[in-house]
Amino acid sequence: MEALIPVINKLQQVFVTVGAELIQLPQIVVVGSQSSGKSSVLESLVGQDFLPRGSGVVTRRPLVLQLVNVPPAAERSRGIEAEEWGTFLHIKNKIFTEFDEIRQEIESETERCTGANKGISAEPIHLKIFSPQVLNLTLVDLPGITKVPVGDQPEDIESQVREMIFSYASNPNSLILAITAANTDLATSEALKLARDVDPDGRRTLAVVTKLDLMDAGTDALDVLLGRVIPVKLGIIGVINRSQHDINTGKSVSESLQDEQAFLQRHYPTLASRCGARQLSRTLNRLLMHHIRDCLPEVRTRVSVLSTQYQSLLQSHGEPLSDPNTTLLQIITQFSREYCSTIEGTARDIETSELCGGARICFIFHETFGRTLESIDPLTGLSGLDVLTAIRNATGPRPALFVPEVCFELLVKRQIKRLEEPSLRCVELVHEELQRITHHCCANTQELQRFPKLHDSIVEVVTGLLRKRLPITNEMVHNLVSIELAYINTKHPDFTDAALVSASVSDQAEAVQEGGRRWKNEERTNEEKMKGASEERMRGASEERMRGRREERTRETPQNSAFNSPSRGRAVNLLDMPVSVSRKLIPREQRDCEVIQRLINSYFLIVRESIQDSVPKAVMHFLVNFVKERLQSELVGQLYKQSKLEELLSESQDTARQRREAGAMLQALQKASLIISEIRDTQVC
């Protein structure tokens, strides 16, 4: 199980190189208030003085510290001759054998990112130390919790530090090393409070009490170390830090560890074996190994899932171009095939939320266009008086003996003309759907997302082709209506014969008149029986009334007489003085109007059926099928040019960046998978 920590260190280094934090690896997060002794604890674990020192905020960037146990120099057959050394991730090819140089590099790297006036940054520094004196550990030293900003620190320095600590400590695969000074009240410890916030069960928290030698005389930390004040599940370990006097006088860490052990034997003899920096190192090593063992299956699964996801992502971004000519032809062919398949209904991805492509064109033809034509009434806008006026105007100065044919043609052409507008609207709707198919296919062609200029050029070419065919199709539809207007075929097999219509109307009128006469005769017979003896008296009264009417007509002017009787006197000009709407037509006028209306209705239905059938055929031939057949050749002719290749196949910066990032992450995941696969199940037990 000792091999688990180096494996995690390798994984951490692999993922740090790509700047990703997708995998939450096990590590130890060091949390504590400012000047609580975090740096001294880390130096005790390493056995060397290598961290920056000073007053105020010293740790201003997270320091990811990997401790690697190596054999002593005398036992190593080859490699670095130094006993201990360190390396930084940002300086890969340089080895630091002097720990003073490591401290200077940490200070310079911190100032490079945060400035020289106490600023902080969340960008970590990665340091790996190799030594035969250390146990395999991975720790993260975080800035101390502070309250008041100093120097260049922002006003919200406390919240920034807390957010930084939370980002590391909230990792469920991390252990929390909460450091608190012994000369402070443990109940007010900021480190333990933060640890409890992210680890309420306390399963990941180990407490360290520093500065045991600085407690007031007559007091000790026995109750604290035994967990009587605040219990901690993983335990509480006490350590003694080097004082500033020890640092100034150059007291080594090894000497401090000896003095620490002597102090613990004198003051805490029962706890001496459970406290101290060496015991802390062994405890952390043991806890970390067990924690890695518990987290390793989840890490292995996570790496496998992410490898599959990034493999798919990399494939979606495409491979780098090797042959631009072939790539362009493939994209044009793929788009053309997708366009035709969408129209024909053979596309791979069928929409289920709405109609599109050929299905929508079919809906336009048979639902939208067909129902619109069926909703047009053949006699809309033609009243009986309108028809009568047209009949009189068509006969000129002579009264008509028969219904004039010119009147029928004039009126039926006016009704047929109304079919042109919905027919042209049908063409417009199909044109809009073909444009919509263009954008739909561009969205479904993954390569076009990679080359935005090629995407725009294809849309422009297809739009131009459709725009070119639109007036031709409109002209054809206009001609279809004009053809129907050019010749009124009254000999059409489905057209009702005018003589039959006239005879039918006459028979109906005679039947109505015969019924009226029969009813009047019966009424007259009944009246004669009821009159009886008063007939003479009523005849006299009737003669008196007739005499009065004749005198009244004698007093009327000739002009008034002409208007009251259109059949007598001079003719009425219907244009100058239109007949009143309430005027009742005489039987002959009713018959003539009904004959014309029936003929118009019969012929209009024939023409409407013809237009409803021929307009979709014309649209399919002149617009839809033409675009399908010529699309690929049009795209190749306008886009497949050597001078345009580089411009059309230039990737967007976002796509190129995403492909590089996906490729780097996939390589890192593959390396991680290889590293994890080297661990055998026997090593985990």
Side-chain angles (χ1 to χ4, degrees):
M1 200 160 62
E2 280 288 337
L4 294 180
I5 296 178
V7 168
I8 295 300
N9 291 344
K10 291 180 182 178
L11 292 178
Q12 196 167 43
Q13 186 172 356
V14 166
F15 289 115
V16 166
T17 55
V18 294
E21 298 178 355
L22 296 174
I23 305 293
Q24 294 180 324
L25 299 174
Q27 57 189 5
I28 300 173
V29 179
V30 183
V31 180
S33 299
Q34 181 177 313
S35 301
S36 61
K38 300 191 311 301
S39 298
S40 297
V41 171
L42 293 179
E43 288 180 341
S44 299
L45 296 176
V46 176
Q48 293 289 342
D49 188 4
F50 68 98
L51 292 175
R53 290 276 184 174
S55 59
V57 181
V58 178
T59 304
R60 294 184 285 141
R61 289 178 59 182
L63 175 64
V64 179
L65 178 61
Q66 296 179 355
L67 304 182
V68 181
N69 180 266
V70 295
E75 300 178 8
R76 294 196 297 267
S77 58
R78 59 180 181 176
I80 301 174
E81 297 180 357
E83 187 77 14
E84 299 175 309
W85 71 93
T87 60
F88 287 94
L89 187 62
H90 61 275
I91 308 177
K92 296 182 179 180
N93 299 324
K94 186 175 181 179
I95 296 175
F96 295 82
T97 57
E98 296 293 334
F99 283 86
D100 289 339
E101 295 180 359
I102 293 178
R103 182 192 305 108
Q104 294 173 3
E105 180 61 30
I106 293 175
E107 292 175 346
S108 61
E109 181 65 15
T110 300
E111 292 180 359
R112 183 190 63 81
C113 187
T114 63
N117 199 12
K118 305 301 182 182
I120 67 170
S121 171
E123 183 180 353
I125 299 174
H126 291 266
L127 170 63
K128 182 180 289 188
I129 293 179
F130 302 84
S131 172
Q133 309 299 329
V134 300
L135 295 177
N136 293 323
L137 288 175
T138 301
L139 306 104
V140 181
D141 184 21
L142 297 172
I145 303 171
T146 184
K147 298 289 185 180
V148 181
V150 295
D152 290 337
Q153 294 177 350
E155 294 295 328
D156 60 342
I157 181 64
E158 181 181 2
S159 62
Q160 287 189 20
V161 172
R162 287 181 179 274
E163 289 177 5
M164 187 187 305
I165 295 174
F166 270 109
S167 66
Y168 283 90
S170 59
N171 174 8
N173 294 336
S174 66
L175 293 174
I176 303 172
L177 189 64
I179 296 179
T180 304
N183 55 358
T184 61
D185 188 356
L186 197 65
T188 61
S189 171
E190 291 286 346
L192 288 176
K193 182 178 182 302
L194 283 173
R196 183 168 295 179
D197 290 340
V198 296
D199 180 31
D201 297 333
R203 296 177 180 177
R204 301 187 289 116
T205 303
L206 174 67
V208 175
V209 178
T210 62
K211 304 180 182 180
L212 291 176
D213 55 334
L214 297 183
M215 297 187 66
D216 294 338
T219 62
D220 59 31
L222 187 62
D223 290 340
V224 173
L225 296 176
L226 291 175
R228 296 170 183 170
V229 178
I230 296 179
V232 180
K233 286 187 178 181
L234 296 184
I236 302 176
I237 297 177
V239 297
I240 298 174
N241 298 340
R242 285 190 303 164
S243 65
Q244 190 62 41
H245 174 74
D246 295 337
I247 296 172
N248 295 336
T249 57
K251 187 177 182 180
S252 66
V253 175
S254 58
E255 293 175 352
S256 298
L257 293 177
Q258 294 176 0
D259 293 344
E260 176 189 54
Q261 195 63 30
F263 179 86
L264 292 174
Q265 289 290 348
R266 290 195 307 270
H267 294 83
Y268 303 95
T270 58
L271 298 177
S273 60
R274 296 166 48 186
C275 294
R278 290 190 177 93
Q279 179 62 27
L280 175 62
S281 178
R282 287 192 291 268
T283 303
L284 290 176
N285 178 263
R286 175 177 55 82
L287 291 175
L288 186 58
M289 284 191 298
H290 285 81
H291 196 63
I292 292 173
R293 181 193 61 186
D294 297 337
C295 298
L296 194 60
E298 180 184 350
V299 173
R300 181 185 287 112
T301 303
R302 178 69 172 163
V303 169
S304 177
V305 171
L306 287 175
S307 297
T308 304
Q309 293 179 354
Y310 275 90
Q311 182 69 42
S312 302
L313 181 61
L314 186 60
Q315 291 178 354
S316 67
H317 291 307
E319 297 293 334
L321 292 180
S322 57
D323 187 356
N325 296 280
T326 304
T327 301
L328 180 58
L329 285 177
Q330 288 176 348
I331 294 175
I332 291 176
T333 303
Q334 182 181 356
F335 172 81
S336 302
R337 188 185 302 115
E338 184 76 19
Y339 193 92
C340 296
S341 298
T342 304
I343 294 177
E344 295 170 359
T346 58
R348 291 175 299 175
D349 300 326
I350 298 178
E351 289 286 342
T352 58
S353 58
E354 61 177 353
L355 293 177
C356 68
R360 188 166 186 83
I361 293 176
C362 178
F363 181 85
I364 293 171
F365 285 156
H366 302 290
E367 298 293 332
T368 306
F369 178 60
R371 290 186 178 181
T372 301
L373 292 187
E374 291 173 0
S375 67
I376 300 177
D377 187 359
L379 300 176
T380 300
L382 289 180
S383 64
L385 291 178
D386 293 334
V387 176
L388 178 61
T389 302
I391 293 174
R392 291 187 172 184
N393 287 336
T395 58
R398 296 174 299 280
L401 295 177
F402 304 99
V403 178
E405 185 177 351
V406 177
C407 171
F408 163 71
E409 289 196 6
L410 175 67
L411 295 177
V412 80
K413 285 182 179 179
R414 189 174 80 174
Q415 298 303 98
I416 292 173
K417 187 70 175 174
R418 297 170 57 206
L419 299 175
E420 182 175 2
E421 182 179 353
S423 301
L424 294 176
R425 178 58 182 162
C426 175
V427 178
E428 183 180 349
L429 290 176
V430 175
H431 176 265
E432 292 176 358
E433 180 59 24
L434 292 177
Q435 286 276 39
R436 185 168 170 266
I437 293 174
T438 304
H439 296 285
H440 174 77
C441 294
C442 286
N444 288 346
T445 305
Q446 185 63 38
E447 292 293 335
L448 289 179
Q449 308 302 318
R450 181 180 173 187
F451 307 112
K453 292 187 178 179
L454 178 59
H455 174 281
D456 297 340
S457 298
I458 287 179
V459 172
E460 183 179 354
V461 171
V462 178
T463 302
L465 181 60
L466 293 173
R467 191 184 301 116
K468 189 190 305 181
R469 298 303 300 175
L470 182 61
I472 298 175
T473 309
N474 283 335
E475 183 180 0
M476 182 60 198
V477 171
H478 173 76
N479 288 338
L480 289 176
V481 179
S482 300
I483 289 171
E484 298 292 344
L485 294 173
Y487 180 66
I488 305 300
N489 183 17
T490 56
K491 293 297 183 180
H492 192 280
D494 297 332
F495 182 61
T496 306
D497 186 76
L500 295 178
V501 173
S502 179
S504 175
V505 172
S506 299
D507 292 343
Q508 292 178 2
E510 290 178 359
V512 172
Q513 290 178 0
E514 182 64 25
R517 283 195 298 269
R518 188 181 303 112
W519 178 79
K520 288 181 180 179
N521 290 335
E522 293 176 356
E523 186 178 7
R524 188 179 299 112
T525 302
N526 293 333
E527 289 178 354
E528 289 177 355
K529 292 180 180 181
M530 293 174 62
K531 286 180 182 179
S534 60
E535 184 178 6
E536 290 297 330
R537 186 169 58 254
M538 292 182 68
R539 186 181 299 112
S542 178
E543 290 178 355
E544 185 66 26
R545 285 196 300 271
M546 293 297 292
R547 189 180 304 111
R549 289 176 182 174
R550 284 196 297 271
E551 292 176 357
E552 185 178 353
R553 283 198 298 270
T554 305
R555 291 193 296 269
E556 288 180 349
T557 61
Q559 184 177 2
N560 291 338
S561 176
F563 277 108
N564 287 335
S565 179
S567 61
R568 299 182 181 180
R570 68 183 182 86
V572 178
N573 188 338
L574 295 179
L575 295 178
D576 296 337
M577 183 66 68
V579 180
S580 173
V581 176
S582 60
R583 173 181 178 277
K584 185 177 181 181
L585 303 180
I586 62 176
R588 176 177 178 136
E589 293 173 343
Q590 291 179 350
R591 184 192 63 192
D592 293 346
C593 290
E594 188 171 352
V595 169
I596 292 294
Q597 289 174 345
R598 288 193 181 186
L599 294 176
I600 291 174
N601 184 78
S602 175
Y603 196 80
F604 181 85
L605 294 180
I606 295 172
V607 175
R608 186 176 71 182
E609 184 179 356
S610 175
I611 292 295
Q612 189 173 351
D613 179 65
S614 57
V615 167
K617 293 178 179 178
V619 174
M620 288 298 297
H621 176 72
F622 286 92
L623 185 60
V624 179
N625 290 342
F626 185 92
V627 172
K628 280 173 52 181
E629 295 168 0
R630 305 292 179 88
L631 178 62
Q632 185 168 355
S633 59
E634 190 78 13
L635 289 172
V636 172
Q638 295 195 31
L639 300 181
Y640 190 67
K641 297 178 181 178
Q642 199 66 32
S643 58
K644 290 185 175 182
L645 279 179
E646 184 177 356
E647 179 184 359
L648 293 176
L649 297 180
S650 59
E651 287 185 318
S652 65
Q653 295 181 355
D654 291 341
T655 301
R657 176 182 54 79
Q658 291 172 2
R659 185 172 63 252
R660 288 194 302 269
E661 292 177 354
M665 179 55 67
L666 182 60
Q667 290 181 358
L669 290 168
Q670 290 173 346
K671 290 181 181 178
S673 180
L674 184 62
I675 292 171
I676 295 175
S677 65
E678 295 176 356
I679 303 175
R680 299 179 180 178
D681 293 337
T682 55
Q683 293 177 296
V684 179
C685 298

